[in-house]
Amino acid sequence: MRAGAELREWEQPLNGENNEAKKNPWINVALDYGPLALFFLAYNLAPGIALFKLLVATGAFMVAMIAAMITAVALYKRIPPMMALTGVLVIVFGGLTLYFRDARFIQMKPTIIYGILAALLAFGLATGRPLLQQVLGQSFPGLSPVGWRKLTINWMVFFVALAIANEVVRLNFSETAWVYFKTWGVIPLTFVFALANLPMLTKHGLELEDKPKG
C-alpha cells in the first residue's frame, strides 16, 4: 500500500496548500500510483533476462519516487509521511538492489512497509492512542470508538497478511510473478478490503452522506 494509498489519511492537504492541487484528485492519484506504474512499465519494456529487467525497473522506480516527493513539496510544501516512508525505503533498498544486483532487496521492501504499518497500529491499540482515528477522522465522520477499534484491528491484520503474502510470493515464485503480484495483486486487494469494511463502519455510525447545513 504502494502502501501510500492504504493510509490515504496521511496525505490530507494542509492549510495553505496549492488550491488547484486540492481540487484535482488526479494529482494525488498520480503521486500515489505513478512511480509504481512506471516500475511496471519499465519492467515490461526492458529487454533481457528477468534480473536485468528488475534492475531497470528499480532504477525507474527510484527516480519516479524522488520526482513524486519533489512534486509533493512544490504543491503541498511538505512530503506526506507515508510517501516519505515509502520513498526512503525505495531509495535505500533500490540502491542496495542496484549495487549488489540482487532482487531480494527491492522485493523485501513491501514486507518492511507493511510490517511498520501493522506495528504502528498495534502500538496505538496497546497504548490507547487511536492512531488511525487521528489521521483518518475527517474521512469517517460519525464513526464510534468501537468502530475505530475494529477498523484499526482489521487494517492491522490486513497489513500482516500482505507482508506474509509478499514473502510467500518472493520466496516461492519468479521475479516476474512477484512484479505482477505487487502491481496487479496488492492494489485490487486493498480496494476490495476497504470496501468490505463498509458494512461494519455503517453499523458503527459512519455517515455516508453529508448532513444538510442549518
Side-chain angles (χ1 to χ4, degrees):
M1 17 143 14
R2 73 170 183 71
E6 291 99 332
L7 289 180
R8 199 62 213 134
E9 70 288 347
W10 283 17
E11 302 185 18
Q12 293 296 322
L14 294 176
N15 292 332
E17 290 175 352
N18 186 296
N19 288 331
E20 291 303 317
K22 290 192 288 183
K23 292 178 182 178
N24 188 351
W26 290 108
I27 293 178
N28 287 327
V29 171
L31 292 177
D32 283 341
Y33 297 107
L36 185 59
L38 186 59
F39 173 84
F40 181 77
L41 287 174
Y43 182 86
N44 283 278
L45 293 176
I49 62 174
L51 178 58
F52 178 76
K53 291 162 71 73
L54 189 58
L55 293 176
V56 172
T58 297
F61 197 18
M62 294 169 65
V63 172
M65 279 303 309
I66 293 172
M69 289 189 288
I70 292 174
T71 302
V73 171
L75 292 176
Y76 305 134
K77 311 305 179 187
R78 66 171 184 139
I79 300 176
M82 191 62 208
M83 179 185 288
L85 171 63
T86 302
V88 168
L89 291 178
V90 166
I91 293 170
V92 171
F93 283 87
L96 291 172
T97 296
L98 297 179
Y99 182 80
F100 291 105
R101 290 174 171 75
D102 190 332
R104 290 177 296 177
F105 291 106
I106 196 65
Q107 288 178 311
M108 288 188 295
K109 187 267 299 177
T111 302
I112 295 172
I113 290 180
Y114 301 140
I116 290 174
L117 294 176
L120 287 173
L121 294 180
F123 176 79
L125 287 173
T127 59
R129 300 175 182 177
L131 175 63
L132 205 59
Q133 184 176 359
Q134 292 175 11
V135 294
L136 263 182
Q138 294 182 349
S139 300
F140 293 91
L143 189 61
S144 68
V146 174
W148 279 113
R149 180 174 178 81
K150 288 184 176 181
L151 183 64
T152 299
I153 293 173
N154 288 351
W155 276 104
M156 181 182 67
V157 172
F158 181 68
F159 286 136
V160 171
L162 284 182
I164 294 173
N166 188 71
E167 287 302 292
V168 169
V169 175
R170 179 180 74 84
L171 294 172
N172 294 281
F173 295 90
S174 67
E175 292 162 353
T176 299
W178 177 82
V179 169
Y180 276 81
F181 168 75
K182 175 180 173 62
T183 52
W184 296 108
V186 172
I187 293 175
L189 282 173
T190 301
F191 279 109
V192 169
F193 177 78
L195 290 175
N197 277 278
L198 280 179
M200 181 276 291
L201 295 174
T202 55
K203 179 180 178 181
H204 290 283
L206 176 65
E207 300 170 1
L208 295 180
E209 296 182 359
D210 293 334
K211 293 182 178 180
K213 296 181 180 179

